[in-house]
Amino acid sequence: MILSGFTTLMSLVYIGLLVLAVFCFVDAVLRREDAFRAADKNTKNFWLILLGVGVAVHLVGVPGLGFLLTIVVVIANIVYLVDVRPALIQVTGGRGGRGGRYRGSSSDGPYGPYNGGR
């Protein structure tokens, strides 16, 4: 009974970490390459390789080194979420990459900017 509950808990933790790794990887794929340089956060290729290997480690698993690699992957995902992603959002103004939705200014109406009847 207790072992079954522990197995269920570990399965949920594993799924949560896999979702986190996939989210970080997909988010990095959607960001512009020049934003990484502008934010002074390594290169896009570096983060794609690091986060992609992290997804592969979660999906495939490595016997013997699995736990250690999982810890390294979780740390990389946390660094991306806490440090790199906010810097990229700040540099790009909240837009991810290709074709981000135009937000306009607060005075924009349905037919363009409102100029006060001038």
Side-chain angles (χ1 to χ4, degrees):
M1 180 72 177
I2 293 175
L3 189 57
S4 173
F6 181 72
T7 303
T8 303
L9 175 67
M10 290 309 291
S11 295
L12 291 174
V13 168
Y14 171 77
I15 291 170
L17 293 177
L18 177 62
V19 168
L20 175 70
V22 169
F23 172 78
C24 290
F25 180 73
V26 169
D27 186 72
V29 167
L30 296 176
R31 300 286 171 188
R32 294 185 347 224
E33 192 274 328
D34 60 336
F36 285 85
R37 284 182 278 128
D40 200 27
K41 301 292 178 190
N42 261 318
T43 63
K44 181 175 182 173
N45 288 335
F46 170 81
W47 284 105
L48 288 177
I49 290 170
L50 187 65
L51 298 172
V53 167
V55 171
V57 164
H58 278 297
L59 289 176
V60 176
V62 180
L65 292 175
F67 183 73
L68 180 63
L69 284 177
T70 301
I71 296 297
V72 170
V73 167
V74 169
I75 290 171
N77 288 327
I78 290 172
V79 167
Y80 181 80
L81 279 179
V82 173
D83 184 39
V84 177
R85 187 171 185 263
L88 295 175
I89 289 172
Q90 185 177 16
V91 166
T92 59
R95 292 183 291 275
R98 303 174 183 102
R101 185 172 176 208
Y102 173 72
R103 297 187 184 179
S105 77
S106 62
S107 66
D108 282 356
Y111 305 108
Y114 178 71
N115 62 6
R118 291 179 253 175

